[in-house]
């Protein structure tokens, strides 16, 4: 634990916070288990670790394998949602915005909510997001890669990971069929599902993800030389829904322990946003019982404590 924790955000200071976060992250990672849901992801070593922070005033710091690409899985749901909202700012009623404690793969939750997804971060909502993004853009995967900064081939969809999920999935297929039965999808299921799996199979590094999420923290100013990615009211809504639903059943625990909007993925990624300050991303593959990276949550908790990052 560093001797002093303050709200300064120089690169050097951020690096000290990351050192402290790294220690907590590695310790907590030992309590988790690498996901076997997608067989290709089960092969990833439990000891891998990376963390990066980017601030709205241009400071950056990183630790561990911060340029290594990893499978972002459900972190893609955040970027796909933002891509959709650029095409269709009023997409919210189709995807929902309320919390759910039913788990990201729940079919029953649809039944209990008039066959509508609860929010864009559970799989039913994410399938609707991908479906609509596909309708608007013609390619939901490329639209999501573009939201991640796209450049230099560093962000791409890994066909091996996508195929591994296609070969073993039943759950997302079941959810898609229920959505189609109730008229919630635009595209045929056999067109939508490969897009969704390819979107989940996007590979990116923690540095790329922290930078790409900065528009969610940069609520007042426009990015240099361009239009804002999303209007400020939409950014506030995305962050609100992230806080309530980005970490699934652990949302209350994360709000209590950390106090930041955050999104996780079964590849071991966690991305958190501090409005007005910056974004921080961790990759640590072992997951806790809620399906969130055990090391990622602990590392962000320590970083947020040191940096004084909390929306509360
Ligand atoms: N591809 C996984 C799925 O759709 C992603 C789940 C996750 O990362 N939480 O089930």
């Amino acid at each position: 634990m560093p001797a002093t924790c303050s709200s300064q955000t120089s690169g050097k200071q951020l690096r000290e916070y990351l050192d402290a976060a790294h220690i907590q992250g590695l310790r907590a990672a030992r309590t988790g288990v690498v996901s076997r849901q997608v067989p290709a992801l089960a092969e990833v070593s439990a000891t891998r670790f990376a963390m990066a922070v980017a601030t709205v005033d241009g400071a950056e710091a990183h630790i561990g394998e911060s340029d290594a690409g990893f499978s972002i899985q459900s972190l893609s749901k955040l970027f796909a949602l933002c891509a959709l909202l650029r095409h269709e700012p009023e997409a919210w009623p189709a995807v929902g915005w309320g919390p759910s404690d039913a788990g990201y793969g729940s079919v029953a939750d649809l039944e209990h909510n008039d066959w509508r997804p609860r929010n864009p971060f559970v799989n039913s909502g994410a399938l609707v997001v991908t479906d609509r993004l596909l309708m608007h853009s013609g390619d939901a995967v490329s639209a999501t890669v573009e939201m991640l900064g796209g450049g230099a081939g560093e962000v791409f969809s890994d066909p091996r990971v996508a195929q591994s999920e296609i070969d073993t999935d039943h759950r997302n297929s079941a959810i898609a069929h229920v959505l189609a039965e109730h008229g919630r999808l635009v595209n045929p299921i056999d067109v939508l599902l490969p897009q969704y799996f390819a979107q989940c199979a996007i590979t990116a590094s923690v540095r790329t993800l922290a930078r790409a999420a900065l528009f969610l923290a940069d609520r007042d100013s426009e990015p240099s030389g361009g239009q804002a990615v999303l209007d400020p009211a939409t950014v506030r809504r995305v962050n609100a829904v992230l806080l309530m639903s980005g970490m699934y059943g652990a949302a209350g625990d994360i709000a209590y322990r950390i106090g930041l909007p955050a999104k996780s993925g079964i590849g071991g990624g966690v991305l958190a946003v501090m409005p007005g300050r910056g974004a921080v991303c961790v990759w640590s593959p072992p997951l806790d019982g809620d399906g969130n990276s055990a090391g990622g949550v602990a590392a962000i908790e320590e970083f947020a404590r040191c940096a004084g990052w909390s929306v509360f």
Side-chain angles (χ1 to χ4, degrees), residues 37 73-74 104 123 165 172 196 200 248 265-266:
Q37 185 191 316
Q73 293 295 315
S74 284
Y104 59 80
N123 288 10
E165 189 159 13
N172 287 304
Y196 173 75
C200 290
Y248 308 117
I266 56 168

Side-chain angles (χ1 to χ4, degrees), residues 33 52 68 80 93 116 129 141 165 186 193 214 230 252 257 286 290:
V33 180
R116 287 173 192 278
V129 167
V141 185
E165 189 159 13
V186 180
L193 283 175
L214 270 182
L230 290 173
R257 284 168 60 188
D290 290 303

Side-chain angles (χ1 to χ4, degrees), residues 33-187:
V33 180
V34 177
S35 174
R36 291 190 194 85
Q37 185 191 316
V38 178
L41 298 180
E43 299 161 13
V44 179
S45 163
T47 57
R48 303 196 73 172
F49 187 94
M51 186 166 189
V53 55
T55 69
V56 294
D57 46 23
E60 285 192 16
H62 49 93
I63 194 165
E65 300 176 69
S66 53
D67 286 319
F70 68 96
S71 192
I72 70 170
Q73 293 295 315
S74 284
L75 297 180
S76 71
K77 293 172 179 170
L78 169 60
F79 294 95
L81 171 69
C82 293
L84 172 63
L85 291 170
R86 296 181 78 178
H87 288 281
E88 190 184 349
E90 299 309 324
W92 288 108
V95 299
W97 57 80
S100 166
D101 63 0
Y104 59 80
S106 177
V107 183
D109 215 27
L110 275 173
E111 190 166 350
H112 298 143
N113 193 42
D114 193 26
W115 311 104
R116 287 173 192 278
R118 294 274 183 190
N119 64 66
F121 302 131
V122 292
N123 288 10
S124 56
L127 283 160
V128 170
V129 167
T130 304
D131 182 51
R132 301 190 78 82
L133 183 56
L134 176 58
M135 173 182 75
H136 289 292
S137 70
D139 183 351
V141 185
S142 298
T144 307
V145 167
E146 201 183 304
M147 284 300 295
L148 283 159
E154 195 234 336
V155 183
F156 62 93
S157 175
D158 184 337
R160 203 177 65 91
V161 174
Q163 192 61 48
S164 178
E165 189 159 13
I166 289 170
D167 290 344
T168 51
D169 173 77
H170 293 288
R171 177 63 58 136
N172 287 304
S173 172
I175 294 170
H177 279 280
V178 173
L179 288 168
E181 181 193 1
H182 294 275
R184 307 271 183 235
L185 298 179
V186 180
N187 294 285

